[in-house]
Amino acid sequence: MSSLPSKTVASKQLETFANPSVERDYHIHMEIPEFTCLCPKTGQPDFATLILDYIADTTCVELKSLKMYIWSFRNEGHFHEDVTNRILDDLVTAIQPRFMRLTAKFYVRGGIFTNVVTEHRKPGWQAQPLVDLMQFETQSNTRG
């Protein structure tokens, strides 16, 4: 008789860990290509890729708990706008970032793609100017 691995269970609990470089603004980028929830009108599944960008303050979100949190929406009915804002609110509550942007790119339904973008900025936080390292064309040091 073979033993099956224990089942992983979806959860609304987001775990955190201490930001290892709290003195610096740095960009954390995550792509979550398998988000699923249900259409509240039809009960049919809606699929999206979530793109999470944030600048942590004192804590970061732990990836396994984020995966289980995202999985928890798969049997719940939500409008695209509602679920995107709810996820952002829950993440902001959990980690209190300096900045966070969540982009939800929902797959086509009825011939329409929907993208929802929502942001949070910590009061008083100002983004540092972007350093553009692509300002020089390839071979810019050659004469001709």
Side-chain angles (χ1 to χ4, degrees):
M1 178 192 241
S2 67
S3 65
L4 296 173
S6 63
K7 288 187 177 183
T8 305
V9 179
S11 171
K12 294 287 188 200
Q13 184 68 37
L14 288 163
E15 295 178 25
T16 64
F17 62 92
N19 179 355
S21 296
V22 73
E23 72 284 353
R24 175 180 298 125
D25 282 354
Y26 61 97
H27 181 184
I28 299 167
H29 174 84
M30 298 176 189
E31 295 184 26
I32 306 162
E34 297 177 347
F35 177 78
T36 306
C37 64
L38 300 175
C39 172
K41 293 279 193 178
T42 66
Q44 301 236 343
D46 281 327
F47 301 93
T49 295
L50 302 181
I51 301 165
L52 179 63
D53 293 287
Y54 73 98
I55 296 173
D57 195 5
T58 59
T59 57
C60 299
V61 67
E62 190 276 325
L63 293 181
K64 183 176 180 185
S65 74
L66 178 61
K67 178 175 75 170
M68 297 297 98
Y69 170 80
I70 294 300
W71 189 21
S72 74
F73 288 94
R74 70 184 330 173
N75 293 318
E76 296 179 5
H78 294 279
F79 289 107
H80 299 164
E81 299 80 0
D82 167 58
V83 75
T84 307
N85 279 284
R86 178 177 292 191
I87 292 168
L88 179 79
D89 289 345
D90 289 349
L91 285 164
V92 166
T93 297
I95 68 168
Q96 298 295 304
R98 295 173 189 166
F99 171 82
M100 183 173 280
R101 174 183 298 129
L102 180 63
T103 302
K105 299 176 86 168
F106 286 88
Y107 295 92
V108 69
R109 178 176 284 277
I112 299 172
F113 287 99
T114 303
N115 293 334
V116 179
V117 181
T118 185
E119 288 185 350
H120 161 80
R121 292 174 189 267
K122 184 177 180 177
W125 177 79
Q126 293 291 323
Q128 297 296 312
L130 184 64
V131 176
D132 183 4
L133 300 176
M134 301 304 290
Q135 66 185 350
F136 299 106
E137 295 179 29
T138 304
Q139 302 288 327
S140 66
N141 291 338
T142 60
R143 297 184 183 163

